[in-house]
Amino acid sequence: MNLVDANVGQEYIVKDIFTDDEELNAFLFSLGCYSGEPITVVSHLKNSCVVSIKDGRYNIDNELAKAIQI
């Protein structure tokens, strides 16, 4: 399951991130988004979703959300 399919307000654990882009992996790691970390979808928007990771909230597009497996 990925973040696009996640229920709003429910906490999930990141299982894996499927992307070949090393810069994107490094960016997500700097946000605290990596395997084993909790993540919560705050809201789904038209082409993105708002997620809560650690103490921050971030707006990520649906393509990236599809790459984050929970």
Side-chain angles (χ1 to χ4, degrees):
M1 186 162 116
N2 60 41
L3 285 182
V4 174
D5 303 325
N7 296 325
V8 172
Q10 184 174 347
E11 184 175 272
Y12 297 93
I13 301 296
V14 175
K15 292 186 179 175
D16 204 356
I17 298 171
F18 294 109
T19 179
D20 294 331
D21 188 344
E22 286 302 317
E23 286 184 28
L24 188 55
N25 278 335
F27 173 70
L28 289 172
F29 189 82
S30 72
L31 298 181
C33 182
Y34 46 86
S35 294
E37 284 298 311
I39 189 169
T40 304
V41 175
V42 176
S43 66
H44 288 287
L45 305 173
K46 184 176 180 182
N47 293 318
S48 62
C49 61
V50 178
V51 296
S52 175
I53 305 169
K54 298 192 181 220
D55 293 332
R57 287 187 180 201
Y58 307 99
N59 185 8
I60 59 173
D61 68 7
N62 282 343
E63 291 301 313
L64 180 54
K66 288 176 185 175
I68 300 173
Q69 300 296 306
I70 51 175

